């Protein structure tokens, strides 16, 4: 079985450029390149067209431009899974925050006996470093600690040169487990804001299904936009506008003030909104839009001439 798995991995590396690129990035193969050189080399491998940083037109190109040219210290706060909660509470209120159990600087500082039976552990500086415990009696604690240690070592900012993550302290945050978030029925509403103005919402569904996550795009008036984003095709059935849509817009508008672009993620649970995360580069700007005209359409909403470099 191990030999077959190894063969499959080898074949994927040889025959799938997308997979090969991801492996090389994670291995550190491109670490010696500057951010600009890295993005110019990697962008075409994912997107199928060269990156023009001098005169970017598409939304995806402009996200790469922002990686290189826009560096505001507040971005580091906003992507830090712990510090972002303080910012959110200050700007829109703590009712939108998933309750925190504790924060630790090291895996060894976590006392499992003092945690509730259900909880979630996340690395504060990256994406993917997460442990979900639904029942402590069935949790493989040693495996969980090993996973967290692995992710704590990872410099997430290097994977796609997303500068905001570079200086985030590497810690573990414990959160209350909300059972609804583990359901395949839960919807994730991702609101794209351009210069402080919400312009579209992505409804993510089927997050835990065998068929994989689906993404349906809606404009500000909740009209379907017909976008196929990366590896996340839309469902053929459409979703109704949530009752809390107006509240989402107001919260997203407040949080995105001063940001050329910000994605604000919401969960709606029993009529109550929780903020999942704040993101500056959806899919790292490496996910293809189909039709490609939509990449240009979104690009027209992002006005780089108004962005202060630094």
């Amino acid at each position: 079985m191990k030999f077959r798995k190894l063969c499959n991995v080898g074949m994927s590396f040889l025959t799938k450029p997308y997979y090969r690129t991801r492996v090389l990035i994670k291995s550190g193969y491109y670490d010696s390149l500057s951010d600009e050189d890295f993005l110019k080399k990697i962008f075409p491998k994912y997107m199928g067209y060269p990156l023009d940083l001098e005169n970017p037109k598409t939304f995806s190109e402009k996200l790469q431009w922002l990686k290189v040219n826009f560096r505001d210290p507040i971005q580091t706060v906003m992507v830090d899974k712990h510090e972002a909660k303080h910012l959110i509470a200050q700007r829109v209120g703590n009712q939108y925050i998933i309750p925190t159990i504790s924060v630790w600087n090291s895996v060894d500082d976590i006392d499992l006996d003092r945690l509730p039976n259900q909880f979630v552990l996340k690395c504060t500086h990256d994406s993917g470093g997460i442990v979900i415990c639904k029942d402590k009696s069935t949790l493989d604690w040693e495996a969980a600690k090993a996973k967290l240690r692995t992710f704590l070592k990872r410099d997430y900012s290097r994977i796609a040169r997303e500068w905001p993550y570079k200086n985030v302290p590497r810690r573990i945050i414990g959160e209350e487990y909300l059972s609804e978030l583990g359901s395949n029925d839960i919807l994730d509403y991702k609101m794209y804001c351009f210069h402080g103005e919400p312009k579209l919402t992505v409804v993510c569904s089927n997050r835990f299904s065998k068929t994989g996550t689906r993404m349906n795009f809606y404009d500000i008036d909740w009209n379907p936009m017909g976008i196929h984003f990366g590896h996340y095709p839309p469902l053929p059935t459409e979703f109704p506008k949530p009752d809390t849509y107006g509240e989402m817009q107001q919260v997203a508008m407040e949080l995105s003030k001063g940001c050329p672009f910000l994605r604000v993620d919401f969960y709606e649970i029993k009529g109550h909104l929780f903020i999942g995360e704040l993101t500056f580069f959806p899919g790292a700007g490496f996910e293809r839009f189909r039709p490609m005209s939509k990449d240009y359409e979104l690009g027209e909403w992002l006005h780089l001439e108004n962005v202060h470099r630094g």
Side-chain angles (χ1 to χ4, degrees):
M1 183 63 71
K2 289 184 178 180
F3 178 74
R4 180 181 298 176
K5 183 177 180 180
L6 184 62
C7 288
N8 289 337
V9 169
M11 286 301 297
S12 294
F13 184 84
L14 293 172
T15 62
K16 298 179 180 179
Y18 183 91
Y19 178 82
R20 182 166 60 250
T21 299
R22 289 179 62 87
V23 170
L24 290 174
I25 290 173
K26 290 184 177 181
S27 72
Y29 182 78
Y30 298 109
D31 280 358
S32 63
L33 296 179
S34 68
D35 289 348
E36 184 170 338
D37 288 343
F38 171 87
L39 295 173
K40 285 183 176 180
K41 188 174 188 65
I42 295 301
F43 186 85
K45 296 179 184 294
Y46 283 117
M47 304 302 291
Y49 62 95
L51 172 62
D52 184 354
L53 288 176
E54 298 302 318
N55 188 31
K57 296 292 186 183
T58 67
F59 175 60
S60 302
E61 284 183 308
K62 290 184 177 183
L63 288 182
Q64 311 312 318
W65 188 95
L66 289 172
K67 289 180 185 179
V68 174
N69 295 292
F70 181 70
R71 299 189 172 183
D72 187 335
I74 195 64
Q75 291 178 288
T76 297
V77 175
M78 296 175 82
V79 300
D80 184 325
K81 289 179 172 58
H82 175 54
E83 297 299 333
K85 293 189 177 188
H86 299 303
L87 181 143
I88 291 168
Q90 290 170 0
R91 291 193 182 183
V92 297
N94 59 14
Q95 66 268 30
Y96 299 104
I97 296 171
I98 297 174
T100 297
I101 298 171
S102 189
V103 180
W104 305 272
N105 292 319
S106 166
V107 174
D108 295 326
D109 294 336
I110 304 173
D111 185 347
L112 181 62
D113 293 334
R114 301 187 67 175
L115 290 175
N117 188 51
Q118 296 182 322
F119 58 85
V120 177
L121 301 177
K122 300 176 182 177
C123 293
T124 58
H125 73 294
D126 79 339
S127 177
I130 182 171
V131 171
I132 300 174
C133 176
K134 299 180 181 180
D135 182 353
K136 276 204 294 190
S137 67
T138 61
L139 175 67
D140 186 339
W141 182 229
E142 292 304 315
K145 289 193 294 183
K147 178 180 181 179
L148 291 171
R149 286 193 181 99
T150 297
F151 277 86
L152 282 174
K153 294 176 182 177
R154 185 170 70 160
D155 183 352
Y156 189 72
S157 70
R158 300 296 293 174
I159 295 175
R161 304 304 171 98
E162 298 181 57
W163 175 84
Y165 295 95
K166 181 176 177 59
N167 297 314
V168 176
R170 300 185 189 186
R171 297 175 288 186
I172 306 106
I173 185 171
E175 294 181 342
E176 291 185 11
Y177 174 75
L178 303 179
S179 60
E180 291 85 355
L181 294 184
S183 168
N184 193 49
D185 296 327
I186 190 71
L187 298 178
D188 182 2
Y189 299 94
K190 301 179 181 294
M191 191 164 283
Y192 283 39
C193 303
F194 296 77
H195 306 285
E197 180 183 356
K199 299 285 283 185
L200 68 84
T201 303
V202 184
V203 180
C204 295
S205 60
N206 290 28
R207 295 169 64 232
F208 303 104
S209 70
K210 293 182 179 179
T211 57
T213 300
R214 300 297 190 96
M215 293 187 177
N216 289 60
F217 282 68
Y218 296 89
D219 67 16
I220 196 64
D221 296 316
W222 210 258
N223 298 307
M225 296 182 69
I227 292 175
H228 182 148
F229 183 66
H231 296 82
Y232 311 103
L235 281 178
T237 55
E238 300 297 344
F239 294 93
K241 182 168 61 177
D243 293 337
T244 54
Y245 182 59
E247 185 180 359
M248 287 183 195
Q249 288 178 289
Q250 291 299 316
V251 171
M253 189 180 302
E254 192 64 34
L255 291 174
S256 62
K257 284 181 178 178
C259 299
F261 173 81
L262 181 70
R263 193 190 78 196
V264 183
D265 296 359
F266 295 95
Y267 298 107
E268 184 188 62
I269 299 177
K270 298 176 182 177
H272 184 90
L273 289 180
F274 290 99
I275 294 174
E277 65 175 344
L278 307 175
T279 304
F280 292 100
F281 310 105
F286 291 156
E287 297 284 357
R288 297 189 187 191
F289 284 81
R290 294 192 290 273
M292 190 175 173
S293 60
K294 296 297 182 179
D295 205 353
Y296 283 96
E297 181 180 338
L298 270 64
E300 292 176 356
W301 297 339
L302 186 48
H303 306 295
L304 299 182
E305 65 273 13
N306 299 330
V307 176
H308 175 71
R309 296 189 185 214

